[in-house]
């Protein structure tokens, strides 16, 4: 059989069907390894290429380039040529169905911006088709209930299908926010929140801060939340800047160790400082009175030094011990306990103990601690101080 002109065959489906029948008849008598089989196949494919191009152009305008659609249709054409059986009907009908299926499969699997299940894809297309029909009938956009009634399904399925349709094509981040705006959608997106990485640390630190003494918590709050300098903190608390630095460093070291520890750490006071600039306790004799002059803040770290000096003073051959707190800007429960230890030792030795010249802030602390009898202008006898009176914990 003489080859037909490709242009003639491609424009006449009847001639293309005859060429396909001749192709099938020749294949039936040729050996599987005969080179003539390939030439006959190429001739039929080239003759049917215009048919593939016409089918591809029917799907243009849906967001896919025509060249890509033609390639998909040609792939379907190759499958139709290889599967063609003249006993099942004409070649052009079979090839058209095969190529159309390949094109629909391409749109289903390759063109969706976000992959969704095939069932939802089909439901989305069905909703679009029914929406167009009802719009023509009602002369307006149909409601969700009307779509559900026409399709025999629930309104929830309709809304899900409509939301699925939005996944077909993704909007570019470089698209303008408004028609007359130079801004882009990407400008509306927020940056990653760096604070999310520190949520665990913040929660851990919050729990550990509750384990610190009140003064250390206040120093940390003033320093890191109030942005106060160490000098400003010292002035507010009535202590030295050096003491603030020492307390701050100790608290930060403990927090760091506690955060790295698997087991909860217990706050412990540091060692007694030997730096005389932090606390100075001097004992001198004035007749029958031992004057204990204290200068500097008294806390857990150095209360032991005050206690030792008071015990040393009451053991001397004196009748009275005067504790001069004029140089003390702050005293905590450990300092109060040290004074009580000195009072008990003096009472046992028959030596009176009194407190002189406390500053207003220290005076309030002593009054709250129940040491008012020691602050009276007329010093009572040691027995006048009720030993059963509640005393602060050491």
């Amino acid at each position: 059989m003489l080859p037909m002109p490709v242009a003639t065959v491609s424009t006449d489906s009847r001639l293309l069907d005859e060429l396909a029948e001749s192709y099938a008849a020749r294949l039936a008598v040729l050996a599987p390894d005969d080179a003539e089989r390939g030439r006959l196949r190429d001739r039929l494919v080239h003759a049917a290429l215009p048919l593939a191009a016409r089918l591809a152009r029917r799907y243009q305008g849906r967001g896919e380039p025509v060249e890509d659609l033609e390639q998909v249709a040609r792939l379907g054409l190759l499958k139709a040529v290889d599967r063609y059986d003249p006993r099942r009907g004409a070649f052009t009908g079979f090839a058209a169905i095969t190529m159309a299926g390949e094109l629909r499969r391409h749109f289903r699997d390759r063109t969706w911006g976000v992959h969704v299940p095939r069932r939802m894809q089909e439901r989305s297309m069905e909703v679009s088709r029914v929406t167009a029909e009802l719009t023509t009938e009602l002369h307006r956009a149909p409601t969700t209930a009307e779509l559900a009634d026409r399709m025999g399904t629930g309104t929830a399925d309709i809304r899900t299908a409509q939301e699925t349709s939005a996944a077909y094509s993704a909007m570019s981040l470089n698209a303008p926010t408004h028609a007359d705006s130079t801004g882009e959608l990407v400008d509306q997106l927020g940056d990653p929140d760096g604070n999310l990485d520190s949520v665990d640390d913040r929660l851990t630190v919050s729990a550990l801060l509750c384990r610190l003494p009140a003064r250390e918590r206040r120093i940390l709050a003033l320093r890191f939340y109030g942005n106060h300098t160490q000098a400003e903190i010292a002035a507010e608390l009535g202590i030295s800047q050096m003491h603030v630095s020492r307390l701050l460093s100790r608290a930060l070291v403990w927090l760091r160790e506690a955060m790295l520890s698997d087991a909860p750490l217990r706050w412990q006071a540091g060692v007694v400082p030997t730096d005389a600039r932090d606390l100075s306790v001097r004992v001198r004799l004035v007749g029958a009175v031992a004057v204990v002059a204290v200068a500097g803040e008294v806390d857990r770290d150095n209360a032991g030094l005050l206690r030792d000096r008071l015990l040393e003073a009451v053991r001397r051959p004196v009748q009275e011990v005067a504790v001069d707190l004029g140089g003390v800007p702050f005293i905590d429960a450990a300092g109060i306990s040290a004074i009580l230890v000195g009072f008990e030792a003096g009472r046992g030795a028959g030596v009176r103990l009194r407190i002189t010249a406390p500053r207003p802030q220290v005076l309030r602390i002593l009054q709250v601690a129940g040491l008012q009898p020691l602050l009276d202008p007329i010093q009572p006898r040691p027995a006048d101080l009720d030993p059963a009176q509640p005393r602060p914990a050491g």
Side-chain angles (χ1 to χ4, degrees):
M1 183 175 181
L2 296 176
M4 297 182 180
V6 173
T8 303
V9 175
S10 62
T11 56
D12 193 329
S13 59
R14 182 179 58 81
L15 296 179
L16 185 58
D17 289 338
E18 293 178 357
L19 179 60
E21 292 177 2
S22 175
Y23 163 74
R26 293 289 303 273
L27 288 185
V29 298
L30 292 176
D33 57 347
D34 196 328
E36 183 66 17
R37 299 172 65 93
R39 289 192 294 269
L40 293 175
R41 180 177 181 271
D42 293 342
R43 178 171 175 244
L44 178 58
V45 169
H46 282 285
L49 285 179
L51 175 61
R54 290 198 301 271
L55 286 174
R57 284 193 291 271
R58 293 180 182 177
Y59 292 85
Q60 65 182 353
R62 302 187 183 184
E64 285 291 284
V66 177
E67 294 78 5
D68 293 348
L69 297 178
E70 289 182 355
Q71 291 294 332
V72 174
R74 290 172 182 177
L75 177 62
L77 175 61
L78 293 177
K79 294 181 178 180
V81 170
D82 294 336
R83 300 171 185 173
Y84 171 63
D85 186 351
R87 293 173 297 180
R88 297 184 178 181
F91 172 76
T92 53
F94 174 68
I97 293 175
T98 304
M99 288 185 285
E102 200 68 28
L103 287 167
R104 287 193 295 268
R105 189 178 299 109
H106 171 77
F107 278 100
R108 185 190 69 198
D109 299 336
R110 304 297 181 187
T111 61
W112 283 74
V114 179
H115 179 73
V116 296
R118 180 176 179 180
R119 179 181 62 84
M120 295 308 303
Q121 293 182 9
E122 294 175 349
R123 177 59 60 87
S124 176
M125 290 186 291
E126 184 179 1
V127 169
S128 299
R129 179 182 59 79
V130 174
T131 299
E133 294 176 356
L134 288 177
T135 300
T136 303
E137 297 175 6
L138 303 174
H139 304 287
R140 60 173 174 82
T143 63
T144 303
E146 292 171 341
L147 290 172
D149 183 66
R150 172 65 67 90
M151 298 178 61
T153 185
T155 56
D157 291 340
I158 299 299
R159 285 192 292 267
T160 302
Q162 291 172 339
E163 294 173 358
T164 302
S165 301
Y168 181 77
S169 60
M171 184 176 294
S172 174
L173 293 177
N174 298 116
T177 55
H178 305 288
D180 55 349
S181 174
T182 58
E184 298 180 350
L185 288 178
V186 68
D187 299 331
Q188 307 298 319
L189 300 179
D191 295 330
D193 190 354
N195 292 329
L196 292 178
D197 297 334
S198 60
V199 169
D200 292 341
D201 293 339
R202 289 176 178 269
L203 293 176
T204 303
V205 169
S206 298
L208 292 175
L209 287 176
C210 297
R211 298 175 178 267
L212 290 174
R215 183 171 60 167
E216 278 73 2
R217 290 201 304 269
R218 186 178 181 188
I219 291 176
L220 290 173
L222 291 173
R223 182 69 183 91
F224 295 103
Y225 293 92
N227 294 324
H228 290 268
T229 63
Q230 294 185 8
E232 293 172 343
I233 297 173
E236 182 170 343
L237 299 181
I239 59 179
S240 66
Q241 185 271 335
M242 183 176 295
H243 196 192
V244 171
S245 177
R246 178 165 55 84
L247 294 175
L248 184 61
S249 298
R250 188 180 64 183
L252 292 177
V253 169
W254 182 83
L255 284 174
R256 191 178 299 110
E257 293 177 353
M259 291 188 66
L260 297 176
S261 175
D262 295 333
L265 294 183
R266 184 177 181 181
W267 171 263
Q268 295 180 355
V271 298
V272 177
T274 59
D275 193 343
R277 293 172 297 179
D278 288 340
L279 180 65
S280 174
V281 183
R282 297 179 181 178
V283 182
R284 73 179 188 277
L285 292 177
V286 180
V289 179
V291 179
V292 180
V294 185
E297 54 278 356
V298 183
D299 59 10
R300 296 174 181 83
D301 294 339
N302 51 33
L305 179 61
L306 175 60
R307 182 190 64 243
D308 295 342
R309 294 295 185 270
L310 290 176
L311 293 177
E312 177 186 339
V314 299
R315 289 168 185 161
R316 293 189 178 189
V318 294
Q319 297 179 357
E320 185 179 79
V321 173
V323 183
D324 183 4
L325 298 183
V328 177
F330 175 82
I331 186 170
D332 66 358
I336 298 298
S337 298
I339 295 176
L340 289 174
V341 170
F343 168 76
E344 295 291 349
R347 184 173 62 174
V351 177
R352 294 175 299 180
L353 187 144
R354 62 187 176 90
I355 300 174
T356 64
R359 296 183 181 182
Q361 181 177 355
V362 175
L363 176 61
R364 289 192 297 269
I365 295 174
L366 296 174
Q367 291 172 342
V368 172
L371 299 184
Q372 182 69 30
L374 299 181
L375 300 170
D376 288 344
I378 300 177
Q379 171 64 34
R381 295 189 306 274
D384 294 336
L385 186 61
D386 186 4
Q389 188 178 14
R391 298 173 181 176

